[in-house]
DNA sequence: GTCTATAATCAGATAGAC
DNA sequence: GTCTATCTGATTATAGAC
């Protein structure tokens, strides 16, 4: 009741609420990765989180909003990763001009990002958005947090792509947007699952294989 | 009633039945390509074909069987294409030994197959099988015609892959099965749709782009 | 805010007349 | 074999007690 204890109590409540919502998005993320949006049911989410289905709808107003929250969180993680990459590579630029470097910082960052994406998917933490589902797409496109995150990620990657092309490490005959989409598509590459099912290679080997096909293609280098 | 007219009448009936089933699988193929298995409803199929839903179930016992029939037909088309490719390239082998050839027949066939696949998908005629859906997968795996077709196609492509690797045109560091899956994956490559939506390139340009990323990767050649 | 119970809807599948 | 009408089950979403 006092004006002093009120904020503390409220903060605790908010913490609990946020913790619960984190638990929810984590479950959604896992289920989205495992079965996709359509096959995932709200009942499953509720039972996995350990609360009643009706309680879920107190937090999120629809199944689409539920998935959207998980996607926003995943996008946030991607942003953090990219910004960290950028920060980590900045000190080296103070040393030498990267004019005739044998390694390309931009290409390295693109490769690191792609590998990170593949590892996430391999670990079952990459929510697979069904490119064909309309209701989820509509919700995502209407979500400011999601679209803002997507733009930022695209801008960062796009800049690296253009830079890598300028330095001759990415095929300049390819439109940058095509390169961007090709990297994005690794997040839902079925080759990972197929190779995993064949049980002929370790997870790391599979990632190396897909990294190779993505950047070097399947043809032999001349 | 006569033993002479009976077979003729029956044959006509069979023709009608087969024609109807062809119309059904064609519609299923289109819808499967447009929206995928989950989003496609049996009601849609029925109304597009122009018959009642119950009539559909006289031909196919379930939605899965419906999709399976379309997939079998598509697989058959793929087989025909591959066998034709093989036949067309055989005469040249009689001429010179392809030992130090500058072009590789096997690689050419792999590229032709990939391009054909992309063109089919671009035309909305490639049924997209959801890698995550379990009920359809189970039906497909239990279908002899489908699995037989898949095996034959895989054997043909696999032989070309090994041959192209032997001749130094496909990266020998990649397991042949990985190359096979990478080519298969072009049938559901979301990059095609993304680029199509961006409306910056013609269909042919998009196919060329994806062909390039598939065989040469996104990196510049050294 | 969480629960149990229930509404509302939709889609796959079937019954039965013709 | 085709139709209309219906069943069945699953799933999203909500009402109302606590």
């Amino acid at each position: 009741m006092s004006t002093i204890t009120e904020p503390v109590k409220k903060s605790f409540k908010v913490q609990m609420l946020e913790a619960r919502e984190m638990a929810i998005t984590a479950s959604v993320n896992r289920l989205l990765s495992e079965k996709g949006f359509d096959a995932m049911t709200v009942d499953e989410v509720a039972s996995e989180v350990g609360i009643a289905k009706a309680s879920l709808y107190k937090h999120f107003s629809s199944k689409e909003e539920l998935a959207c929250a998980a996607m926003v969180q995943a996008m946030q993680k991607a942003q953090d990763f990219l910004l960290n990459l950028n920060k980590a590579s900045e000190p080296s630029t103070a040393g030498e001009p990267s004019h005739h470097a044998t390694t390309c910082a931009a290409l390295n960052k693109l490769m690191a990002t792609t590998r990170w994406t593949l590892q996430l998917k391999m670990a079952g933490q990459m929510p697979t958005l069904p490119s064909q589902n309309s209701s989820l797409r509509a919700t995502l496109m209407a979500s400011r947090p999601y679209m803002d995150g997507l733009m930022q990620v695209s801008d960062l990657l796009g800049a690296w792509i253009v830079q890598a092309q300028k330095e001759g490490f990415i095929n300049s005959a390819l439109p940058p947007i095509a390169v961007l989409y090709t990297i994005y598509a690794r997040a839902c590459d079925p080759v990972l699952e197929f190779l995993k099912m064949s049980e002929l290679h370790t997870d790391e080997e599979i990632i190396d294989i897909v990294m190779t096909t993505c950047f070097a293609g399947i043809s032999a280098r001349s």
Side-chain angles (χ1 to χ4, degrees), chain A:
Chain A
M1 298 209 188
S2 74
T3 50
I4 293 175
T5 57
E6 240 351 73
V8 176
K9 210 178 169 187
K10 197 172 177 186
S11 167
F12 177 73
K13 262 184 161 174
V14 169
Q15 269 186 24
M16 291 304 293
L17 185 136
E18 285 181 355
R20 170 139 303 179
E21 294 198 343
M22 287 289 285
I24 294 173
T25 50
S27 280
V28 170
N29 211 47
R30 206 191 60 74
L31 286 168
L32 229 42
S33 158
E34 184 188 321
K35 355 178 52 174
F37 180 76
D38 290 324
M40 176 187 83
T41 70
V42 180
D43 291 82
E44 278 174 331
V45 178
S47 78
E48 186 167 312
V49 177
I51 62 176
K53 180 164 53 171
S55 303
L56 269 188
Y57 279 93
K58 296 286 181 180
H59 292 275
F60 304 96
S61 59
S62 71
K63 184 187 177 184
E64 280 77 20
E65 291 292 338
L66 204 56
C68 185
M71 297 293 295
V72 166
Q73 191 179 284
M75 192 63 76
Q76 187 68 48
K77 267 175 65 182
Q79 270 181 270
D80 295 345
F81 178 84
L82 295 184
L83 291 175
N84 265 340
L85 260 190
N86 236 353
K87 207 171 58 183
S89 72
E90 257 164 26
S92 69
T93 55
E96 75 281 55
S98 65
H99 201 56
H100 279 94
T102 53
T103 64
C104 171
L107 177 65
N108 283 339
K109 283 186 277 196
L110 289 173
M111 293 182 77
T113 303
T114 305
R115 185 175 289 275
W116 177 76
T117 302
L118 295 175
Q119 284 167 338
L120 264 190
K121 181 169 172 56
M122 212 58 167
Q125 291 168 11
M126 176 63 73
T128 307
L129 84 162
S131 60
Q132 292 161 329
N133 182 74
S134 50
S135 69
L136 180 53
R137 278 187 82 88
T139 302
L140 287 178
M141 306 257 291
S143 159
R144 272 297 288 275
Y146 179 78
M147 290 306 286
D148 284 353
L150 182 61
M151 299 274 182
Q152 262 207 42
V153 167
S154 297
D155 285 348
L156 282 167
L157 289 176
W160 296 344
I161 290 168
V162 170
Q163 178 67 18
Q165 284 181 321
K166 203 176 295 176
E167 297 177 15
F169 290 98
I170 293 280
N171 185 352
S172 293
L174 294 170
I177 188 107
V179 178
L180 180 67
Y181 289 162
T182 301
I183 291 178
Y184 276 158
R186 283 331 100 208
C188 58
D189 193 337
V191 174
L192 281 172
E193 295 151 56
F194 286 153
L195 285 178
K196 195 164 191 175
M197 274 193 293
S198 76
E199 295 184 329
L200 295 168
H201 305 278
T202 67
D203 285 8
E204 272 309 316
E205 286 171 346
I206 293 174
I207 289 176
D208 285 339
I209 287 170
V210 175
M211 283 291 293
T212 299
T213 59
C214 179
F215 283 87
I218 61 178
S219 296
R221 304 245 115 181
S222 49

